[in-house]
Amino acid sequence: MKLSNLFGDHGSITLTIVLFLVLAVLNFLLKLYRARSLVLKLRRQGLPMPPYSPFFGHLLFCAKIASGLPKDAHPNYMPDMIRRTMPDLGPVYYLDLWPFGPQMLVVAAPSSLYQITQEHSLPKHNTMRSFLQPVADGLDIITMEGQTWKTWRGIFNPGFSASHLMTLSSMIVEETVRFCEILQTHFQNHTIFRMKDLTDNLTIDVIGRVVLDTQLGSQTRSNSLVDGLRMQIRWLTFGADINPFKRYNPLRPLVHWYNAQRMNRYVSREVDIRMANYQHKEKFQSVDPTMSVIDLALTAYLSANPEKRATKAVDGTFKKFAISQIKLFLFAGHDTTSSSICYIFYVLSLNPSALGRVCAEHDEILGSNLDKTTSLIAQNPFLLNRLPYTLAVIKETLRMYPAVTSIRAGEPGFNVSDDQGRQFPTDGFLVWANSQIVQRDPAYWPRSDEFLPERWLVSPGDPLHPVKGAWRPFEYGPRNCIGQELAMIEMKIIMVMTLRRFHIEPAYEEMDHGRRFGKGVRTVYGERGYQIERSQPSDNLPCRVTKVSR
């Protein structure tokens, strides 16, 4: 009797498992049917998209496109490769990669991008919110919406204004001096090094000084905040990984929780210090011209909430939001600028005439005595505004190698129109404002794959003159990048302090020699330094450095 019961229990368990699997399969098939039916309906309406399979969607087509890219190439290349493969497709089209990713409306025409970022700013997609959650606890100004976003964006805006950041330029100079010392060490040791590792340390130290007025010192030593942030970044995911073990790694929540605690403890102490310093001021309304971003934010918050000035502890609401924004600034502010600096070194090494012209401009404005450069910038940072060719090099680098794109959520009843007047429903779609496509599209950029800083110096009417709205590395509209002025100032200072001292040469050939890659592509558009992961150069840009003889 007991054996029979035991057997019966096993049979019930087996039946339960079978029923669960059957229901799971039926649920999947139902979702698949709904997803494919939605796109098939749009295709029947004549709206553009690549060749479509009623069962596989665009998965097979995109797999074929991906076979022409390195395995680690950034996903941003995919829609641009589609444009190159199907030039008549147009800059607005649908892409269905379900279940490995959300169904998308790709938007890469300036007029259409204007509609979703400026005319009617679509909300950020939940994918971005989930991606940033482990870093900023869901309270970041990138994905906030409505009045909450307006309030906190307004509180942090003053700290990122160009005029205020100029007052902090000496801090950026000091951190860049350390960067130059490290380059000097690599020169003396004749070593190959990965530039992205160095620029990561530099830019995160700059963010620490500008945002928190604290020296993180990550260029020379370990730091618990930086270590926690970097481990957190390594475990981030958009949830579209094909590898199920990476996509659903059971350790990820635990790792994210642990790193969040490390970062929160560190940043919480720093915010407490800022509040204590603030309370020592005799006049709450007085503004120190060299205040950090968090100091200015605290001033703005308490000015708007005067009843909270007298409290000894930091207001809980401010502290919660401030900690999240600081972590966000540390992550987004250092990583994107670091990649852009790498690409400036990369493109100038491939274009020696442009490098020579940049250095000549620096000599003209800052003088040929390199020992005085540091003090000149610290005393008069507005000299940086007198470097038009340097600015052109930065803009052209950001055009060819944008660090970010924008993903928005479609809304019921809201359509995007293209230049032909066709209406594209957005409801249920991730709306992908892809700067990689529009900034490499020859329809807007003659000789689009060439590095031509001169296009930023010609007059309107010249064929090279940029088309309005086609350059979008920081996006436009109310949700544009809050840190763009800081990024531009950083890049200018780093260029004037390094390019006339050091010759930075990519070492891909030397590093690749003897490596076993197996079959597959190792370049994109003929470039070995293609973008990977978070838009950084492949292999983090291996380099050698030599001294410039003057």
Side-chain angles (χ1 to χ4, degrees), residues 54 72 78 144 193 268 280 377 408:
D72 59 349
M78 174 65 72
M144 286 179 189
F193 60 95
S268 178
H280 278 88
I377 300 173
R408 307 294 180 105

Side-chain angles (χ1 to χ4, degrees), residues 310-364:
T311 59
K312 295 183 179 180
V314 180
D315 174 71
T317 300
F318 176 82
K319 189 171 187 178
K320 179 176 65 174
F321 280 89
I323 289 173
S324 294
Q325 303 327 307
I326 290 168
K327 292 188 295 180
L328 173 71
F329 297 149
L330 287 169
F331 167 46
H334 97 275
D335 197 44
T336 53
T337 306
S338 173
S339 294
S340 298
I341 293 166
C342 285
Y343 274 113
I344 289 172
F345 291 144
Y346 177 70
V347 295
L348 289 178
S349 73
L350 301 177
N351 296 272
S353 60
L355 175 60
R357 187 170 172 181
V358 168
C359 292
E361 181 177 75
H362 295 174
D363 282 344
E364 178 185 354

Side-chain angles (χ1 to χ4, degrees), residues 192 506-515 528 542:
I192 293 179
Y508 282 113
E509 289 187 12
E510 190 174 355
M511 187 191 71
D512 289 346
H513 182 70
R515 293 174 70 185
R528 180 64 178 84

Side-chain angles (χ1 to χ4, degrees), residues 258-404:
Y258 172 71
N259 290 318
Q261 297 305 306
R262 295 173 68 188
M263 292 188 290
N264 289 345
R265 282 195 297 269
Y266 192 106
V267 177
S268 178
R269 289 195 301 268
E270 292 294 331
V271 173
D272 288 339
I273 292 172
R274 301 272 70 78
M275 184 64 176
N277 291 341
Y278 185 91
Q279 290 177 332
H280 278 88
K281 294 181 180 180
E282 293 182 357
K283 294 182 180 180
F284 290 108
Q285 292 84 0
S286 64
V287 177
D288 182 347
T290 60
M291 292 172 71
S292 68
V293 170
I294 194 63
D295 286 330
L296 277 180
L298 180 59
T299 300
Y301 178 78
L302 293 180
S303 295
N305 301 274
E307 74 280 1
K308 298 181 179 182
R309 285 178 178 170
T311 59
K312 295 183 179 180
V314 180
D315 174 71
T317 300
F318 176 82
K319 189 171 187 178
K320 179 176 65 174
F321 280 89
I323 289 173
S324 294
Q325 303 327 307
I326 290 168
K327 292 188 295 180
L328 173 71
F329 297 149
L330 287 169
F331 167 46
H334 97 275
D335 197 44
T336 53
T337 306
S338 173
S339 294
S340 298
I341 293 166
C342 285
Y343 274 113
I344 289 172
F345 291 144
Y346 177 70
V347 295
L348 289 178
S349 73
L350 301 177
N351 296 272
S353 60
L355 175 60
R357 187 170 172 181
V358 168
C359 292
E361 181 177 75
H362 295 174
D363 282 344
E364 178 185 354
I365 301 302
L366 300 168
S368 57
N369 187 343
L370 303 186
D371 294 332
K372 294 184 178 180
T373 301
T374 300
S375 58
L376 279 172
I377 300 173
Q379 293 168 10
N380 185 12
F382 293 95
L383 287 171
L384 298 171
N385 293 334
R386 295 169 55 189
L387 302 170
Y389 192 76
T390 300
L391 178 60
V393 166
I394 293 173
K395 285 187 171 183
E396 184 70 349
T397 302
L398 293 175
R399 179 188 72 81
M400 297 184 72
Y401 307 98
V404 295

Side-chain angles (χ1 to χ4, degrees), residues 378-537:
Q379 293 168 10
N380 185 12
F382 293 95
L383 287 171
L384 298 171
N385 293 334
R386 295 169 55 189
L387 302 170
Y389 192 76
T390 300
L391 178 60
V393 166
I394 293 173
K395 285 187 171 183
E396 184 70 349
T397 302
L398 293 175
R399 179 188 72 81
M400 297 184 72
Y401 307 98
V404 295
T405 59
S406 181
I407 55 176
R408 307 294 180 105
E411 292 180 335
F414 179 77
N415 296 349
V416 173
S417 61
D418 65 3
D419 293 335
Q420 299 180 36
R422 292 177 294 191
Q423 298 292 313
F424 294 77
T426 66
D427 186 23
F429 289 93
L430 180 154
V431 182
W432 192 0
N434 192 295
S435 53
Q436 178 75 36
I437 312 176
V438 68
Q439 293 183 179
R440 289 267 191 164
D441 193 335
Y444 312 115
W445 305 93
R447 300 158 66 185
S448 59
D449 286 335
E450 295 182 44
F451 179 73
L452 296 173
E454 292 74 19
R455 72 173 84 242
W456 299 98
L457 304 172
V458 298
S459 301
D462 189 290
L464 283 179
H465 192 268
V467 173
K468 182 180 180 181
W471 187 74
R472 329 180 59 88
F474 302 112
E475 258 313 331
Y476 291 109
R479 306 304 295 259
N480 66 354
C481 175
I482 193 173
Q484 58 184 293
E485 296 294 346
L486 174 59
M488 298 298 280
I489 293 171
E490 279 184 82
M491 288 185 276
K492 288 180 183 179
I493 290 176
I494 292 165
M495 289 174 72
V496 300
M497 291 183 63
T498 59
L499 295 180
R500 293 179 294 165
R501 292 180 181 274
F502 302 102
H503 179 63
I504 296 166
E505 188 70 26
Y508 282 113
E509 289 187 12
E510 190 174 355
M511 187 191 71
D512 289 346
H513 182 70
R515 293 174 70 185
R516 294 184 178 181
F517 292 113
K519 296 181 180 180
V521 182
R522 294 302 299 170
T523 62
V524 179
Y525 313 145
E527 299 172 354
R528 180 64 178 84
Y530 57 88
Q531 292 178 287
I532 62 173
E533 291 186 279
R534 300 181 309 279
S535 299
Q536 72 262 42

